[in-house]
Structure formats: structure tokens, C-alpha cells
Amino acid sequence: MATLKDIQLAGITLKNVPTVFDDAGKSVSASDRLLGNMGLAVLARFRMITDYATDTLMLVPDARALRQPFLKDRSGLIALPSEGRLVVKLVAPGSPAASSGWKVGDEIVAIDGKPIGTDYAGTEAARWRCRAAGQTVVLTLKDGSKRRLTLRDYYCAIVARSTASGPRGLPGPRGDWGREPCSGAPARDITGGSMPSLKRRATAAPTVHPRHGVAHRVHCLVYPLIAVCCVVLSATPATACPSGELEPRQAREDLELAISAVEAAIPDLLWRQSPREWARRKAQARALAAKVTTEEALFRALRPLLSGIGEGHLSVARSPGMNCRYREHARLFPLDLLWRDDGMFVIAGYGAASDIPPGTRLLSINGEGRKALLAEMMRVSPHDGAIETGVMRDRGGAGYARVRWWMRGDEAGYDVHLRLPDGKAMRRRLEPVTVATRPPPSDDASPLATLSWVDDTTAYLHVPTFSNRRYREAGAAFEPTMRAHFEALVARGARNLILDLRDNGGGSEPNESILFSHLVTEPLQKYASVRTRPNHLRVTTTTGRVFEHEIYDAEELATVQARADGHLLRINAPPEGLMTRWSRAQPVFEGRLVVLAGGATFSGGAELASMLRATERGLFVGEEVGGTYGGNTSGYKWDLVLPHSGMELGIPLLAFRFVWPEPQPHRGAMPHCPVQPSVGEKRVENDAAYRIAVQALQRSWTRPSRRVCS
């Protein structure tokens, strides 16, 4: 799909017209002679008069219809009604639905709590897909589960990749049209269209002749008894990536909207920062925004402002145009790195730096050592509290090169100071490399928890995620998978368990509690509170644009109660409330437990680590986890697209606070046995933390302590 900036039909200019571009042979309307289908939404703006004798269609503009904007899908779901439900027939790539795990065949039975009626197709309810960007729709599936879908613009312009393959300099009829994902800015729509000169009849009504014109450039919508030629599509040549230019007033509006939104939405903005720190960073960001001329420059002002809040779930997604320019034009630091407390180490080099051996210690870059470089990463990377390990894991591998470019831009070169594995020190000038120089990241690891055996009495359980979406994509479900593994543990008589959470960045509530309930017999109240701001969020930009969001749907509002200040508190009642569980799980493993955790253990993974650490259930081996010990702000998000830059904020809305205090403020669960990852490490086979876990279980102990590590 794409949006045409404007078209002309029957003497009328229509703007921002949603259009479908089908691949040849993939639909009824697609062929090698047609470019795109705008459908009845265009014709509905005219009164049509058909003269069969002369094979002519006359279009008379309807002034009232012309004032109505075109409806635009912002969900990515094409779902057809069938006996009181909607059956998903298409999930558009790159759309909100695609990123939320929707699949063809999913069945929807209610929208925002309202059942699908037999007259659905003719009601206002059927327009939910076309609501304003940023609004969240709650969809109930046939099995009773609910999914929240935040609408956004996911397509905008079509771009002519070539101007030489078709007549008159136009792209060829198939295969030469590119599409640019929507960045949220209407100015991104860079393609226009126009009608050729058409013969006018004595009635003065504009006429369109299906037998005239250039056939390969005209899309004829074929209906019974009539063929209607709608429009000629044309395009102007475009560069591969949009320029990304911003005026200071546009940057200011985007920045002030971001500030207003996080202040309105995050329940406790000052939990991990002081009012003075927040005021200082706002002033710094505003000073930078006053000089902004590009989207990248605005990102460099916005990212440190938000990172300092100390809520790792608060995200800033760069616009499609920014990502395009990064892929095409960025020149990056040529080393992949492993960050540890004792230094920075080379994992791999690229370009002329490919001869630097893995394990080489990087002492400095352009005179800046580890301390200064890590401090910069903390300023510009999302993180919980004051935890460094999460940032070190996120910025491992190619992560540092990427964030350095986003914050500093292109650099002429890098003077590095190295200490080789043999102890020899050297200085060297490194040249930047293109993005394509690095191999693409692989993500073929299974999300499913796996159980293996170390020996007859010791098992190893690897739980890489709590995400229900990833389990669904793998054809499984979290709860029965966990139950099956623990049934196997009990059946075999296991006495020891190594639980590996090092890759677990969280996922879906309450999966961390499900796993906890198989390790601790009695249900536990884990949350002191789960809190949000008042349900209706509303902010206004400096030019008067209004952005709104509802946190809970009507059914969910029954599970919360309002405080005097309007904030909403979760009621401690089934099915979730504030408990790990409302009844005992079966089975429960009661043997000795060793937990492997680290900086990538985040969100629900870090919550489980806090629960186990607070109840003294398990010996912890590894490093400080990436999520704070006392809770986090996560759960539902307000996905807010900034109107000029197209960057998308993901603002977490639920403040989860544990009943236990933080031993160290703003820090995560700490290990009994500190072990950090090393270059060349491979899980289990060459794995220092795993090796220490096995050795610890060979010793005699019942209560975890540091003494077990030695």
C-alpha cells in the first residue's frame, strides 16, 4: 500500500489518496497493465452518470463528499466478518499487526469489549482500523484472550526507482515502484499523479473514456456492465532516502510533545531521577533543539533527555527515513566489542581492522578510555536505574559502533590504543566501514524453554523469553511448556537445577510468576502496587495538535480503583492482582537451585530474579541483572509518533513496585558468584558461569551464599 500525494480526476485535485499496489497475478485486479487500485473511495466523491451508447462515464463532483478525508488503515489487519467474528485474511508486512504477532486465521469476536454484530460491515465500529494514529484498540480473540493494537501510519509514499523503463520517462508498469514506510510526516508523500487532457461533452461534466488514453498507464476498475478508467499514475524521480531536514520550529514542537507526553503518562517520573536533574536535561535538550536542522540532530537531543529518566522500557524508535540513511550512508567504528568491568575487548574487526585478533583489549579511542565511553553510552542508551550491565550487553558486538554513529555521526577515523592478547601494546589508525561491511545479525535461536541433563540428578533449564507472541509463532504456549519441564524434573527425581535467564529480556505478564510458582510452594504477594496515571491521557503540541490515549478498556477498568489524585491502582483480586499466583502450582521443584543471570536479564526476567533473590531461593551466578530490584515501569505502552521527525516514542504506562526494598537504590539483583562473559564464550560448552554453577552444586550447601563460590 502507499499514499499518493495528490491526483487529479475530472478537474478535481484529491490529496493523500490510499492506494493498493498488487503484485501481478496476486489478486483479481492485478495485471502487467495496471499500477495501482484506489477503489470506490475515489469514485464515492462524485455523482456518476453512465452513457452506454457512447461508452462514456461522466463524473460530477459532490462538494460534501469531497470535504471528507480518505479513510486510511493504520492496523495492518484485513479481516472479514463471518458469523459474529472477524477472520484475519491478511497481515500487512511492517504494520502494527505484523509487529504484534498477528497471523492469518486469527479470529476476533469483540472490539473494545463490544461483540461483532451481524450488521458490523455497515456500522461505525467497522472503522476502528482507520482511527487516528496513536490510539489503542483492544481486540478480543475467539479463545477469550485480548490483544492491544496501537494504530500508526505504516505506509506513505511510493517512489519511482527507475525512470527509464517505461514510456515518457515513467517507471515500467511492474517491478519498478518502490515504497517508503510512513515516517509520520505528511510531507513524506512525494509521489503525485495527474489525468491527461480529456474530451468534455456539451453537459460540461468531465468525461472519462475507457477506450482512450495509454492502456499500460491507466487502471480500469472492472464492475458488472461497466469499465471505469480512473487515473493515470505518474511519479517524479526520488532519492533512495528522504533528506530528513527539519526546521527548528518543527524540532521544538516534537521535543515539547515528547516532554509533555512522558510527564503526562509515566506514573512516577521522579522515581529514578531528581526534579533538578529532569529540569537540567530539559534545558539542555531545548538548547540543542533550537539549533536542530535534521532528524538525526533531534534524536541526539531527545535520547539523552529520556535515558536519564532511568526507565529502560521507555523507547525511541527512529523514523524509517533515519534508518534508511543509516543503512545507506553511515560509516561506523570497525570493531565489535565485549564490555566488562575490567575493560573493552575486541570480538571481531572489519575492513582493514579485520586482522586485529579477538581478545585484544581496547584501551582508548581518540584518547577516550573505557570510563568515558561507558559514561556516554549510559547517557544515550535506555536503561533501568543506574545499572551499567544492561547497557554493556546492549552495546556489545556491533551495538557500540551503531550508538556511536547515532550520537556522533560520521568520523574521519579512529586513533586506537590496543593491547594484544600476547601483552604487546600498539597504536593504530582505523578507518570507518559501511553498515553492509558487517554480516547481518542472525536471529535463528528458538524462543522455547529447553531442558537438558548435566548428570543423573542435575538438570539445566534454559528460558530465553517470557514472550507469549514468540511462543505462539513457534506453535507453543508458555504455561504448558513449563509444566511439562517440571513434570519431567520431578519424574526423574532431580535434586539440582541450573536455571539460565541470561538471555531473558522479559515478555508477557504473568509468565515470570508462572515459572516462580514451580520453584516456590506457597503463593506470594510480590507487588506493593501496580499504578497508572488517570485512564485518559491527553497532550497538546505547541501548535494545538491534540494526542490522546486510553490506558485500559472498559472491561479492564473493573480491575482498578482510583486514588484521590486520579491515579489508578490494580485491585488485589484474581486472576492477577498483586500475587504471584492465587493457588499452588503443580508440580513444584524443591531441590537446590542455581540461577544464571546477567545484564541482558531484563523486564520480566529481572522481576523473576528479584523474586527469587528476595525469597533466598537460589544461588546467583553471573553479573548484576539489567532490571532494577524494586520494580519497573512497563506493561502497556503509549506508542506516540512525533509529527515532524516521524520518531516513535514507546512510553510505558504501568508502574510495578515490589513489596521488598532495594538493598542498593536503583540497582538490580546482584550475584553471589560474580562472573562476566568473555570473548569466545559459547553457552554450556565454553561457559565460565555455567562451569561455576556445576562446581557449586558439587559442594554441600542448602542456603545460598558467597562461600559456595570459592
Side-chain angles (χ1 to χ4, degrees), residues 335-337 344-349 356-362 418 679:
L335 299 178
D336 286 357
L337 300 177
M344 308 172 289
F345 297 86
V346 176
I347 298 174
I356 297 177
T360 296
R361 185 190 296 264
L362 176 62
L418 306 168
V679 174

Side-chain angles (χ1 to χ4, degrees), residues 262-290:
V262 298
E263 289 182 337
I266 294 180
D268 191 353
L269 190 67
L270 302 178
W271 187 32
R272 304 294 185 188
Q273 62 173 349
S274 69
R276 178 177 294 182
E277 290 169 338
W278 177 234
R280 175 181 55 80
R281 291 202 317 282
K282 285 195 293 185
Q284 291 173 340
R286 285 165 173 156
L288 291 172

Side-chain angles (χ1 to χ4, degrees), residues 194-200 207 212-213:
S194 60
M195 286 296 296
S197 299
L198 297 172
K199 180 175 66 176
R200 294 178 179 266
T207 61
H212 301 151

Side-chain angles (χ1 to χ4, degrees), residues 4-17 38 42 46 59 66 70 191-198 200 206-208 229-234:
L4 299 182
K5 179 181 178 181
D6 56 70
I7 66 169
Q8 290 184 356
L9 176 62
I12 300 297
T13 299
L14 303 175
K15 295 183 177 295
N16 301 320
V17 183
M38 288 167 288
V42 169
F46 300 87
L59 302 178
L66 287 170
F70 284 94
T191 302
S194 60
M195 286 296 296
S197 299
L198 297 172
R200 294 178 179 266
T207 61
V208 185
C229 290
C230 290
V231 66
V232 174
L233 299 178
S234 64

Side-chain angles (χ1 to χ4, degrees), residues 114-135:
K114 298 179 181 178
I116 306 296
T118 55
D119 60 344
Y120 166 84
T123 65
E124 183 66 25
R127 297 189 176 190
W128 65 269
R129 297 164 50 243
C130 303
R131 295 178 189 171
Q135 290 195 21

Side-chain angles (χ1 to χ4, degrees), residues 165-230:
S165 57
R168 302 188 186 182
L170 287 171
R174 281 281 170 235
D176 298 316
W177 291 83
R179 299 163 202 182
E180 178 184 282
C182 185
S183 67
R188 292 275 181 262
D189 295 333
I190 57 176
T191 302
S194 60
M195 286 296 296
S197 299
L198 297 172
K199 180 175 66 176
R200 294 178 179 266
R201 307 186 66 78
T203 60
T207 61
V208 185
H209 294 275
R211 292 180 181 173
H212 301 151
V214 184
H216 77 273
R217 294 172 55 203
V218 178
H219 186 185
C220 296
L221 298 176
V222 182
Y223 301 100
L225 306 179
I226 186 170
V228 183
C229 290
C230 290

